[in-house]
Amino acid sequence: MRRLEEIQTEERQLYSKEEALDSEANQVRRIKETYDQHLYEAKHFFDAICYQFHKNEQGNVYRALFDEFSQKSRQVMNELEKDEEELRRQKRKLSNQLEDIGYEKRKLLAEEENKT
């Protein structure tokens, strides 16, 4: 059976990893929010350009550019969402490991208490 010090060391490492994952998840969330705001502004920019050129062929060119831009933007957002989901999955895994460590720690402490 493992010693209490080993369990506590592993627990600290897991908490450290959890903290890093939380920080990374917050960073991804902020990036998504910023990207979403820029996408909103770009949409209005393209709409304004298309409106100004709606009577000639250039309007279609800008609309095609906007469609391509929208497609690429959705791809970027999908990748950010995949990253966010992966971070949530890792966080759940870490939480499960921390629960296991907590159980093992309580069990060891109970055994030591019964010995005395």
Side-chain angles (χ1 to χ4, degrees):
M1 182 175 283
R2 297 188 323 166
R3 295 184 9 229
L4 182 60
E5 294 82 21
E6 293 171 342
I7 293 172
Q8 289 174 330
T9 300
E10 185 177 348
E11 184 180 40
R12 281 191 300 275
Q13 289 171 346
L14 289 173
Y15 276 122
S16 177
K17 286 180 183 179
E18 185 179 45
E19 205 173 285
L21 278 176
D22 285 340
S23 176
E24 193 172 342
N26 287 335
Q27 185 177 11
V28 169
R29 183 184 44 79
R30 284 190 306 271
I31 289 170
K32 276 180 60 179
E33 289 170 357
T34 302
Y35 190 78
D36 197 39
Q37 179 62 35
H38 288 298
L39 182 60
Y40 176 80
E41 291 170 4
K43 181 184 181 308
H44 285 289
F45 174 75
F46 275 109
D47 283 343
I49 289 174
C50 288
Y51 178 74
Q52 289 177 358
F53 294 102
H54 75 281
K55 291 186 179 183
N56 60 32
E57 292 179 19
Q58 287 182 336
N60 293 332
V61 170
Y62 289 116
R63 180 57 62 193
L65 284 173
F66 178 72
D67 290 344
E68 185 177 340
F69 171 77
S70 294
Q71 181 183 10
K72 297 292 183 188
S73 295
R74 280 190 299 274
Q75 289 174 349
V76 169
M77 191 59 81
N78 287 340
E79 289 300 317
L80 288 171
E81 288 173 358
K82 285 179 188 177
D83 290 346
E84 198 172 38
E85 181 56 38
E86 176 62 22
L87 290 170
R88 278 193 293 269
R89 188 192 64 72
Q90 289 178 17
K91 171 100 180 195
R92 282 191 303 269
K93 183 178 175 183
L94 268 177
S95 294
N96 290 339
Q97 289 175 328
L98 283 167
E99 287 176 15
D100 293 344
I101 290 289
Y103 173 77
E104 190 175 349
K105 188 176 173 182
R106 287 188 302 276
K107 183 178 172 184
L108 184 62
L109 291 173
E111 287 175 1
E112 287 181 2
E113 189 176 292
N114 288 336
K115 288 181 183 178
T116 57

